[in-house]
């Protein structure tokens, strides 16, 4: 299967919180989208790896993605090294995404910045044909995504690119709510965390609304890039 977009998160729920409205919009236009989780989020204060696996599968169904896989790297401790890069390269060469969306370059959780660099490095290395990888007994061809976008998550980073996601926030919130163990739930007996407050839950909508306000649409999601974004004509931006 070939993908148009592969969205990668260090933890299950990173993608839903940060760029799922963008994904839902592209899926509605017929694009093929997949999600790759680097860890099972086993160090998360609330829930368990098993619960989060089920929640991630529910969220994937809600968004209508074509695949979701988990590389089971060690939550909190994975590093940007050859072994981890090769695992991601194998996925990139299998699904050949045109675009990769991945974690924020700088964020509160240490795995986010780490995951951002690891995935961006793997996207570059995947294009080098002398790096040999094998999948199902077959050697894989080199593949480099055309661009890598870093979605914005916890911190209010200044975006380089903003996507109008008006009309897709309901789908986004439905996918976020699939993570019942993680977010605001008045009945929950689990310990409170920075992401379990009602303010955090509301912030997903009000931050998208505020970003939308700045670009004159109702809701928006923002991204950072490592490379300048180019357009054919400035008129493409009006
Ligand atoms: Zn995370």
């Amino acid at each position: 299967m070939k993908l148009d977009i592969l969205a990668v998160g260090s933890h299950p729920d990173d993608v839903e919180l940060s760029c799922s409205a963008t994904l839902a919009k592209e899926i509605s236009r017929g694009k093929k989208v997949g999600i790759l989780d680097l860890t099972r989020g086993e160090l998360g204060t609330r829930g368990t790896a098993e619960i989060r696996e089920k929640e991630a599968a529910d969220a994937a169904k809600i968004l209508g993605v074509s695949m979701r896989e988990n590389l089971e790297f060690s939550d909190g401790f994975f590093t940007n090294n050859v072994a981890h890069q090769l695992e991601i390269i194998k996925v990139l060469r299998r699904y050949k995404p045109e675009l990769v969306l991945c974690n924020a370059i700088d964020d509160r959780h240490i795995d986010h910045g780490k995951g951002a660099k690891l995935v961006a490095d793997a996207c570059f290395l995947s294009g080098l044909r002398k790096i040999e990888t094998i999948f199902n007994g077959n050697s894989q061809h080199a593949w480099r995504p055309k661009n890598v976008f870093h979605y914005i998550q916890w911190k209010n980073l200044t975006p380089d690119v903003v996507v109008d996601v008006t009309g897709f926030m309901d789908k986004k919130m439905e996918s976020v709510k699939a993570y019942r163990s993680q977010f605001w739930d008045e009945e929950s007996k689990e310990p409170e965390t920075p992401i379990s407050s009602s303010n955090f839950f509301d912030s997903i909508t009000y931050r998208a609304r505020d970003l939308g306000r700045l670009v004159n649409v109702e809701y928006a999601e923002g991204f950072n890039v490592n490379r300048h974004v180019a357009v054919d004509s400035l008129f493409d931006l009006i």
Side-chain angles (χ1 to χ4, degrees), residues 20 28 30 42 51 69 112 150 156-157 192 199 204 217 222 236:
S20 56
S28 79
E42 65 271 19
I51 291 171
E69 291 182 15
H112 294 175
H150 297 273
N156 285 326
L157 305 181
E192 280 185 30
N199 190 359
I204 303 164
V217 300
D236 293 345

Side-chain angles (χ1 to χ4, degrees), residues 9-15 17 39 52 75 103 107-109 111-112 151 153 195:
S10 291
H11 313 108
D13 76 18
D14 287 348
V15 165
L17 288 169
T39 76
R52 296 188 75 170
D75 189 7
N103 282 112
D107 221 358
R108 183 185 73 89
H109 198 300
D111 282 349
H112 294 175
Y151 47 74
Q153 192 165 336
I195 60 167

Side-chain angles (χ1 to χ4, degrees), residues 139-168:
S139 69
Q140 297 182 297
H141 295 294
W143 178 265
R144 184 174 292 149
K146 307 286 182 297
N147 215 336
V148 177
F149 294 93
H150 297 273
Y151 47 74
I152 291 169
Q153 192 165 336
W154 177 269
K155 289 189 183 178
N156 285 326
L157 305 181
T158 302
D160 301 312
V161 185
V162 168
V163 178
D164 175 7
V165 294
T166 307
F168 295 89

Side-chain angles (χ1 to χ4, degrees), residues 117-135:
K117 185 81 175 73
L118 168 59
V119 173
D121 288 355
C123 286
F124 175 81
L125 293 168
S126 178
L128 301 179
R129 58 198 294 263
K130 288 191 177 164
I131 296 175
E132 290 176 18
T133 53
I134 308 275
F135 180 72

Side-chain angles (χ1 to χ4, degrees), residues 9-117:
S10 291
H11 313 108
D13 76 18
D14 287 348
V15 165
E16 284 80 359
L17 288 169
S18 310
C19 64
S20 56
T22 299
L23 299 183
K25 185 173 188 178
E26 295 299 345
I27 291 168
S28 79
R29 293 172 164 186
K31 297 285 194 222
K32 265 201 159 2
V33 173
I35 298 177
L36 177 68
D37 300 309
L38 300 184
T39 76
R40 302 176 78 206
E42 65 271 19
L43 295 186
T45 306
R46 291 158 72 106
T48 62
E50 291 71 28
I51 291 171
R52 296 188 75 170
E53 193 177 316
K54 168 86 177 61
E55 293 170 343
D58 289 347
K61 212 173 288 172
I62 290 164
L63 291 172
V65 298
S66 303
M67 61 71 91
R68 181 170 208 149
E69 291 182 15
N70 195 308
L71 287 175
E72 303 191 9
F73 293 168
S74 177
D75 189 7
F77 296 103
F78 71 82
T79 55
N80 183 2
N81 62 12
V82 180
H84 291 95
Q85 287 162 357
L86 284 172
E87 287 306 309
I88 296 170
I89 291 169
K90 281 188 214 168
V91 176
L92 294 169
R93 290 178 173 180
R94 255 166 76 202
Y95 293 105
K96 300 179 173 49
E98 299 296 323
L99 299 178
V100 166
L101 312 187
C102 62
N103 282 112
I105 295 164
D106 173 35
D107 221 358
R108 183 185 73 89
H109 198 300
I110 60 162
D111 282 349
H112 294 175
K114 250 194 309 178
K117 185 81 175 73

